[in-house]
Amino acid sequence: MSLSNVYERHQLLIKRVVRTVFFITAAWGIIWSAQFFISGNYYYRVNNQLQAWQNNPERVTASKVSDAITKIDSAISMFPNNALYYQMRGQLYEWQAFVSHNADQSTAESAVESAAENAAENEKTNSLKLAFSNYQHSLLLRPLWPASWIGLASVKWKRNEVDDAFYQYLNKAIQVGPQDAIVHKFIVEYGLANYAARSPEYIKVIQPLKHHMKLGLINPHSRDAIVQSIASYNAEEPACRWMRLAPYPVRKRIPNCITYD
């Protein structure tokens, strides 16, 4: 075989390799783009549902939550290192626990067998465990995410485990997200719940409650939720009193808050 033939074969082989690599890269790009589109579509659909449920919890059903979990499961299978998806799945499991809790109350009111009540309670407990696990996984991927730290605190509260770990999670959320809307909303909700219950825990959270109520009323992403929490706990009078030194635009958002400017 002549040297020229060897050279031609070598060049042909190089062209084939380059062409194969090009087609593999192009195919992978198409697959990745399709997965990105599908997972993104799932994310936005689930996110819209979560926002709607926050405003209207009575619309949440077990089937809707299950369907949303299936969607985010698919998104995670395509992008298993996306911290946002795990944080979102944690929220969904919290809503699943919420549905189970409501079912448990309904069962108790209708005097159905205690076995059904126990099943609902076990489902709630398992859902909260899964929520906690997903928030932890989210933080492994993105340690400075306040929403996931709030998620851990939220699960602890729902499990009646307000202990040192609960406050560690809460303080970490404040540290990494001092201006984050979700931090404002959770602290105000938790603080007002303890205020209404005359719980000793209220003393531990009164200062953060006042601080984040003010910031939450300023932040357009938390303002409506803060006002809703104040109204739901009939806390207009104490909220107005706590905000007496806040600027007028803050005080005027509190229902029935009398100002003298």
Side-chain angles (χ1 to χ4, degrees):
M1 181 180 295
S2 66
L3 185 61
S4 61
N5 289 337
V6 172
Y7 177 78
E8 289 177 1
R9 287 194 173 188
H10 180 67
Q11 290 296 104
L12 181 61
L13 178 61
I14 291 176
K15 289 180 180 179
R16 287 177 178 175
V17 170
V18 170
R19 196 158 43 234
T20 300
V21 171
F22 173 79
F23 282 125
I24 291 174
T25 302
W28 173 247
I30 292 172
I31 293 172
W32 185 89
S33 297
Q35 289 181 332
F36 185 80
F37 174 80
I38 294 170
S39 65
N41 183 52
Y42 284 153
Y43 163 77
Y44 284 110
R45 289 170 66 182
V46 173
N47 188 57
N48 289 339
Q49 282 184 299
L50 287 170
Q51 292 179 355
W53 296 344
Q54 287 287 346
N55 296 326
N56 300 282
E58 68 279 0
R59 295 184 180 179
V60 185
T61 65
S63 61
K64 289 180 180 179
V65 175
S66 179
D67 179 65
I69 291 174
T70 299
K71 287 184 174 65
I72 211 65
D73 282 347
S74 297
I76 288 174
S77 70
M78 288 181 273
F79 294 95
N81 293 320
N82 190 314
L84 177 58
Y85 293 164
Y86 290 99
Q87 194 273 338
M88 179 170 282
R89 190 162 66 177
Q91 292 183 64
L92 291 173
Y93 280 122
E94 282 199 78
W95 279 110
Q96 189 176 74
F98 170 81
V99 173
S100 300
H101 176 70
N102 285 354
D104 185 24
Q105 288 185 325
S106 175
T107 299
E109 290 171 1
S110 59
V112 177
E113 297 181 6
S114 61
E117 299 173 25
N118 292 336
E121 184 61 28
N122 290 338
E123 184 177 352
K124 174 188 172 183
T125 299
N126 186 58
S127 295
L128 289 176
K129 287 181 179 179
L130 290 170
F132 195 84
S133 176
N134 275 274
Y135 290 135
Q136 286 181 315
H137 198 127
S138 174
L139 288 167
L140 286 176
L141 298 168
R142 191 171 172 178
L144 301 181
W145 204 340
S148 293
W149 288 108
I150 285 294
L152 293 180
S154 176
V155 172
K156 293 282 283 184
W157 185 22
K158 289 182 171 77
R159 291 165 66 174
N160 296 316
E161 297 174 356
V162 179
D163 50 17
D164 290 343
F166 168 85
Y167 284 106
Q168 288 173 8
Y169 301 146
L170 190 61
N171 290 332
K172 186 66 176 182
I174 294 171
Q175 177 187 343
V176 299
Q179 300 293 333
D180 200 292
I182 196 171
V183 176
H184 305 328
K185 290 188 286 187
F186 181 81
I187 291 177
V188 169
E189 180 72 17
Y190 175 73
L192 289 179
N194 281 278
Y195 174 81
R198 300 296 187 265
S199 168
E201 298 298 324
Y202 164 72
I203 302 301
K204 298 179 182 180
V205 78
I206 178 59
Q207 294 307 319
L209 168 60
K210 294 177 181 179
H211 178 69
H212 287 278
M213 179 178 286
K214 177 182 176 181
L215 295 180
L217 289 169
I218 294 172
N219 190 327
H221 299 294
S222 57
R223 183 181 299 145
D224 291 343
I226 300 297
V227 172
Q228 184 177 2
S229 291
I230 292 172
S232 65
Y233 287 102
N234 297 314
E236 292 88 348
E237 186 277 327
C240 186
R241 177 163 29 90
W242 296 332
M243 296 295 107
R244 66 184 182 278
L245 299 180
Y248 175 75
V250 172
R251 285 180 282 132
K252 76 174 184 178
R253 299 190 182 281
I254 301 173
N256 305 317
C257 185
I258 301 174
T259 58
Y260 300 97
D261 283 8

